């Protein structure tokens, strides 16, 4: 059984996008004979790399899935946050030799687009399971 860590960025200014993504992540783990053994909530997507690193260090975690939503604002700040989070998570994966999957939706999307992409929580977990299984062989 694959054991996963889950990082959930709680920033969602207009609704239940994160809640739905997290629910989908837990369902995907159960449906694919995996278990989420630890979960860390962080304020926003920018904060996810440190939490992912803490989970990736644990010997009981095979892979980490990261969830978040970056909604467009009036400036390009969403692009900065998205780029920083993606690069930070890539660094964690390579530094820890542990799969870290990117289930952060956005940047550059509206609230409606975010609501249409809540399935990315489940997708990030399935990808983490696949990577952990493949790399274990």
């Amino acid at each position: 059984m694959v054991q996963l860590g889950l990082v959930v960025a709680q920033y969602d200014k207009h609704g239940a996008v994160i809640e739905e993504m997290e629910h989908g992540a837990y369902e995907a783990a159960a449906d694919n004979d995996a278990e989420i053994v630890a979960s860390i909530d962080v304020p926003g997507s920018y904060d996810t790399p440190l939490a992912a690193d803490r989970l990736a260090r644990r010997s009981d975690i095979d892979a980490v899935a990261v969830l978040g939503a970056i909604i467009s604002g009036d400036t390009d700040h969403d692009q900065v946050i998205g780029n920083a989070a993606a690069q930070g998570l890539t660094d964690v994966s390579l530094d820890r030799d542990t799969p870290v999957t990117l289930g952060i939706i956005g940047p550059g999307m509206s609230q409606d687009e975010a609501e249409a992409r809540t399935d990315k929580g489940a997708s990030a977990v399935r990808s983490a399971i696949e990577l952990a299984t493949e790399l274990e062989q």
Side-chain angles (χ1 to χ4, degrees):
M1 174 181 280
V2 175
Q3 294 185 289
L4 302 172
L6 183 67
V7 177
V8 182
Q10 293 297 315
Y11 186 77
D12 176 10
K13 40 182 177 175
H14 301 293
V17 170
I18 295 300
E19 185 178 296
E20 289 180 36
M21 290 178 72
E22 187 173 9
H23 179 72
Y26 276 93
E27 281 187 349
D31 292 346
N32 290 280
D33 195 34
E35 180 182 6
I36 296 172
V37 297
S39 179
I40 299 175
D41 290 348
V42 297
S45 294
Y46 182 82
D47 309 303
T48 59
L50 177 60
D53 187 66
R54 294 285 171 93
L55 291 174
R57 292 178 191 206
R58 291 178 45 165
S59 62
D60 64 332
I61 290 181
D62 302 310
V64 179
V66 179
L67 310 181
I70 303 172
I71 309 298
S72 291
D74 295 332
T75 67
D76 290 337
H77 186 68
D78 61 318
Q79 301 292 327
V80 172
I81 297 300
N83 290 335
Q87 185 60 62
L89 295 170
T90 298
D91 292 346
V92 169
S93 184
L94 295 172
D95 291 346
R96 299 288 170 214
D97 194 32
T98 300
V100 177
T101 58
L102 182 64
I104 298 174
I105 55 177
M109 67 180 178
S110 67
Q111 183 66 30
D112 289 341
E113 290 168 329
E115 290 170 1
R117 290 175 175 81
T118 58
D119 63 320
K120 297 303 180 189
S123 178
V125 165
R126 284 191 299 271
S127 293
I129 294 166
E130 289 174 25
L131 273 168
T133 301
E134 185 64 32
L135 295 174
E136 189 177 280
Q137 299 175 2

